[in-house]
Amino acid sequence: MTDLVPNATAADESQEQPLYLAAVGVLCAVISAFCSMIGLLLMKVSTEKERHLKVWRRWRFLLGFFVNILFGVTLTPVALALAPLAVCAPMGSLQLVFAAWFAARGWIVAKERAGAMEYVGMLFCVVGVVLASVFGPTGESQATIERVGFVMTQAPFIVVTAVSWTVIFGWLLVQKAPFLRDCKPAGDAPITAFVSGFCAGSSAAYSLVCVKTIMTAARLVIEGLRTVGGMPYNLWVCAAALAPVASLQVYLIEMTLGAGGTNYVIPIFNAMIMTNGAVLSGVVFDEFITLSQLNTGIFGGGIVVAMFGLAILARAQGKRARSKVEPADGSSDDSKVVPKEANGDELPEEVLVAATYKQLATTTGSTTLTTTTEGGSCHGGGGGANGTSPVWRPNPTRQLD
């Protein structure tokens, strides 16, 4: 009979440790989740306020990325060393709860209240991430560097790598290629954050594999067990790939966090990083071989549950994106839309003058409207709702920014 056990030997070892050490581990996991969430929110607000700046001038994004990495590589290993993975995994998912709390109060990011269905979606994401984290691959296997190199030549790794990088490069092509402009979805469309999040999670998973390979090789050299010249080919592949893959990861993270509301992009980022990392670690370090069938099934079920939660959040994100614009005259004509939340200073003068004319003609029955602005004039005739549309005539003497 197949036993159901979390995939972490630390879970058994921690039972022999004093209870207060486990409590310290849980506290470290909570603090790490909270600080990482702060970093993600700083990176998200950077996508709204600093997108026009060069990357090295986006201090919010750089600060958020530094905070996220700092606490991820310091407190998270401590938490896993002191407390079972089955306990730490739910603490890591508190990022979603903290982010929703901050967004509801308008702290760091723009104020965004989640509806009932969004909370349901986040709950599914949390449950799915916890199940996949506890019962799936952990990435803690101590496979030899030669074994990792051998696995990289086998079909499972080749297929996963081919699919992941085909999606990544295809998505970048859709975003950047002029001839695919018509295929590019809107920046706040649900599919944009989903695919960007998948690509960010994939690149992050490969970055971790590269780092682990390099650190394993460094340990062997330091301990005098191997020489640099005697290292297998996969070390040099990982060393050459780390910098470009990590840079691409940063770019894709920025794209993901800027593609929707906080209550949508943070769960996507969290779920994609976890699932992609677990899948790739399981393939590279042979951890799927050691998983029981039941645990493998629960791992797959956790991913399905998390994706279902993301689908619920995507639907809410789509409704929010559509509600940002509405017809200027209240009709269903999509050709006359004005941003719902924009103020007068943010709208083009053509839209303002046209809207003013239509409102005046409807309420006063005025037969003629002539409005002159710095950018030109608008002339219209007729009365009431049947009046002719205003004609915009630009001022040729005005210099546009």
Side-chain angles (χ1 to χ4, degrees):
M1 180 176 179
T2 303
D3 295 328
L4 176 62
V5 294
N7 290 308
T9 56
D12 299 327
E13 296 171 357
S14 64
Q15 293 177 359
E16 303 175 0
Q17 296 176 345
L19 183 60
Y20 75 89
L21 288 180
V24 172
V26 171
L27 180 61
C28 288
V30 173
I31 295 175
S32 177
F34 181 81
C35 294
S36 296
M37 179 274 305
I38 295 292
L40 289 176
L41 294 186
L42 285 171
M43 295 163 69
K44 172 165 177 53
V45 78
S46 172
T47 66
E48 301 167 357
K49 296 185 177 181
E50 300 176 334
R51 179 163 286 183
H52 61 288
L53 300 175
K54 299 293 185 181
V55 174
W56 56 86
R57 297 184 61 187
R58 301 180 186 180
W59 68 268
R60 293 181 182 86
F61 186 86
L62 296 176
L63 177 60
F65 186 76
F66 174 76
V67 169
N68 191 276
I69 294 297
L70 175 64
F71 287 94
V73 301
T74 55
L75 287 183
T76 299
V78 173
L80 292 174
L82 297 179
L85 178 64
V87 176
C88 291
M91 301 302 105
S93 297
L94 286 176
Q95 280 189 19
L96 279 65
V97 179
F98 292 143
W101 181 36
F102 272 55
R105 286 156 179 78
W107 294 344
I108 301 181
V109 293
K111 194 170 186 177
E112 178 186 326
R113 293 191 179 278
M117 289 305 297
E118 288 175 294
Y119 283 119
V120 171
M122 283 187 278
L123 178 61
F124 274 103
C125 288
V126 169
V127 172
V129 167
V130 170
L131 288 176
S133 297
V134 173
F135 296 101
T138 63
E140 297 177 354
S141 172
Q142 297 298 322
T144 65
I145 194 169
E146 288 83 7
R147 176 62 185 173
V148 172
F150 172 76
V151 169
M152 289 182 174
T153 64
Q154 301 304 298
F157 178 82
I158 294 174
V159 171
V160 171
T161 300
V163 171
S164 297
W165 288 99
T166 298
V167 174
I168 290 174
F169 287 124
W171 182 242
L172 292 175
L173 195 64
V174 169
Q175 294 294 314
K176 298 299 182 181
F179 63 90
L180 291 177
R181 185 179 296 111
D182 294 339
C183 301
K184 181 180 178 180
D188 59 353
I191 189 65
T192 300
F194 186 87
V195 180
S196 298
F198 174 84
C199 295
S202 294
S203 58
Y206 282 93
S207 294
L208 291 174
V209 169
C210 290
V211 169
K212 184 166 183 176
T213 301
I214 294 171
M215 295 304 295
T216 300
R219 177 178 57 82
L220 293 175
V221 172
I222 292 173
E223 293 176 355
L225 301 177
R226 299 290 294 273
T227 62
V228 174
M231 289 296 175
Y233 79 95
N234 54 301
L235 169 64
W236 309 113
V237 171
C238 290
L242 179 58
V245 171
S247 300
L248 181 61
Q249 173 191 344
V250 173
Y251 175 78
L252 291 169
I253 289 174
E254 193 266 351
M255 185 185 297
T256 303
L257 296 178
T262 301
N263 292 323
Y264 180 50
V265 298
I266 298 297
I268 279 187
F269 179 80
N270 187 284
M272 292 299 181
I273 287 287
M274 186 283 304
T275 55
N276 281 278
V279 169
L280 191 62
S281 293
V283 170
V284 172
F285 301 111
D286 286 339
E287 293 189 351
F288 282 121
I289 296 178
T290 61
L291 288 184
S292 67
Q293 292 183 353
L294 184 56
N295 281 25
T296 302
I298 294 177
F299 170 72
I303 294 179
V304 172
V305 170
M307 293 303 108
F308 181 71
L310 292 180
I312 296 175
L313 293 173
R315 185 173 182 273
Q317 167 69 14
K319 292 177 65 176
R320 180 179 291 109
R322 288 191 297 270
S323 69
K324 288 183 179 179
V325 295
E326 64 178 4
D329 58 357
S331 69
S332 59
D333 185 359
D334 294 335
S335 65
K336 304 171 184 176
V337 294
V338 177
K340 186 175 181 180
E341 299 176 355
N343 57 45
D345 294 335
E346 297 172 339
L347 294 176
E349 291 173 346
E350 297 91 327
V351 178
L352 289 174
V353 173
T356 304
Y357 165 79
K358 195 167 190 68
Q359 182 180 11
L360 183 62
T362 303
T363 57
T364 67
S366 172
T367 58
T368 303
L369 173 67
T370 301
T371 304
T372 302
T373 69
E374 180 186 357
S377 60
C378 181
H379 303 273
N386 295 322
T388 58
S389 300
V391 178
W392 176 255
R393 297 174 182 172
N395 182 351
T397 64
R398 181 188 180 191
Q399 294 185 351
L400 299 177
D401 296 331

